Amino acid sequence: MRVCLCYPDADPAPWLSALRLHLPGAVIESWQPGAAMADYAVAWAPPQQFIDEQTRLKALFNIGAGVDRLLQLRLPAQLRVVCLDDAGMAVQMAEYVCHAVLRHFREFAAYEAQARLGQWQQRAPRARADFTVGIMGLGVLGTRVAQALRVFEYPLLGWSRSARQLDGVACFAGASALPQFLAACQVLVCLLPLTPDTQDLLGRARLEQLPRGAYLVNVARGALVVEDDLLALLGSGHLAGATLDVFRSEPLSAAHPLWRHPAVQVTPHISAQTLEAQSILQIAGKILALERGAAVAGVVDLARGY
Ligand code: NDP
Ligand code: OXD
């Protein structure tokens, strides 16, 4: 069996040695133009030439949960693409989103500002029952985030494409339910994949459907949100603030106004980082499962885009 790695953004050495450890007997090499045909590929943001040359793949493993960059390439319709399925990302995402939600609900930014001025001043507690948190995207990551938020007893809502049932979460499904869902969210957490259906989903019209004073947490992909509309609604006071981990253009340019907006927290796409050891273990396990003829989780529906 031959496995090729195409990870232009990273040092391939640790990936190659760990894959060799978990797949003894396989030939595992970094891809170069003109390389021999492989049975499996492990790749992040490969060039089109890689796809055009590697025409005998039994599966391509995407080194990430989101496949939007990969799906910008021309892919053979029958190519089996497998994305990372948690692999240590879900707990990180739960941690990040809980931090953002708790920081907003408990007004820690205001307490930090007071502390800098040496001000001892208690603020009135907010009503938990009025603080509804809505999660867009109830997949691997959204489900874990919902489970983590339940501990804090906020009313929870969820929105997905197909109808879902999650303990403690009032679930909405499909485009027709979106206005009703948005109108009830004091905090909106975005965990949708970027697809033709979700690109620019959160523009002015949809963000205005949130109640006045709502808060946005975007940990999915930047292109789901129209940043100029977000800035306008923060400026008008319709939105109270945002925690943003992802941006339309990354890295976010130093001059971008989101960096300096007092109600916006910016992080550099770190809410759930790919963990090398867990990812390699998962990918190697799935390669062995496919070789045995078994099914694997995380197979992407290319037509649907996730
Ligand atoms: P999944 O594929 O497991 O879940 C996607 C969810 O989104 C599903 O619930 C799906 O609905 C829903 N969905 C998709 N399209 C629509 C639509 N048009 N309308 C309504 N709901 C829709 O993905 P993951 O949870 O694994 O990951 C989600 C995204 O998080 C990734 O695609 C990636 O972009 C992002 N991500 C960001 C990271 C970061 O560090 N910032 C790290 C990892 C991932 P249904 O259940 O009906 O299929
Ligand atoms: C991913 C990411 O999709 O890191 O895994 O954003």
Side-chain angles (χ1 to χ4, degrees), residues 44 62-68 84 89 93 141 219-221 245-246 250 269 271-274:
W44 179 254
N62 182 59
I63 307 177
V67 289
D68 44 290
L84 286 181
M89 284 189 280
M93 200 53 104
L141 302 180
V219 280
R221 286 292 184 265
D245 184 50
V246 287
E250 296 182 6
H269 200 138
S271 50
Q273 293 178 277
T274 296

Side-chain angles (χ1 to χ4, degrees), residues 72-138:
Q72 284 170 8
L73 302 177
R74 286 183 310 280
L75 301 178
Q78 77 287 356
L79 179 63
R80 175 159 43 192
V81 172
V82 185
C83 66
L84 286 181
D85 163 35
D86 185 351
M89 284 189 280
V91 66
Q92 296 177 69
M93 200 53 104
E95 200 170 59
Y96 183 102
V97 173
C98 286
H99 175 267
V101 173
L102 297 176
R103 182 178 160 83
H104 176 53
F105 180 62
R106 296 300 304 268
E107 302 184 276
F108 285 125
Y111 283 115
E112 283 159 15
Q114 285 179 203
R116 281 193 290 275
L117 299 172
Q119 280 177 355
W120 179 280
Q121 192 188 327
Q122 295 177 344
R123 304 168 74 86
R126 295 166 128 184
R128 191 173 304 275
D130 297 340
F131 193 78
T132 299
V133 181
I135 303 162
M136 305 182 95
L138 297 174

Side-chain angles (χ1 to χ4, degrees), residues 16-86:
L16 291 171
S17 50
L19 282 167
R20 285 176 187 136
L21 186 72
H22 292 298
L23 296 170
V27 176
I28 299 176
E29 289 166 338
S30 258
W31 177 78
Q32 307 289 340
M37 293 289 178
D39 300 293
Y40 295 96
V42 179
W44 179 254
Q48 182 66 47
Q49 186 180 2
F50 170 85
I51 301 292
D52 293 343
E53 287 188 10
Q54 289 295 321
T55 54
R56 289 195 211 141
L57 295 176
K58 296 182 195 171
L60 185 157
F61 290 87
N62 182 59
I63 307 177
V67 289
D68 44 290
R69 276 185 75 173
L70 185 68
L71 298 200
Q72 284 170 8
L73 302 177
R74 286 183 310 280
L75 301 178
Q78 77 287 356
L79 179 63
R80 175 159 43 192
V81 172
V82 185
C83 66
L84 286 181
D85 163 35
D86 185 351

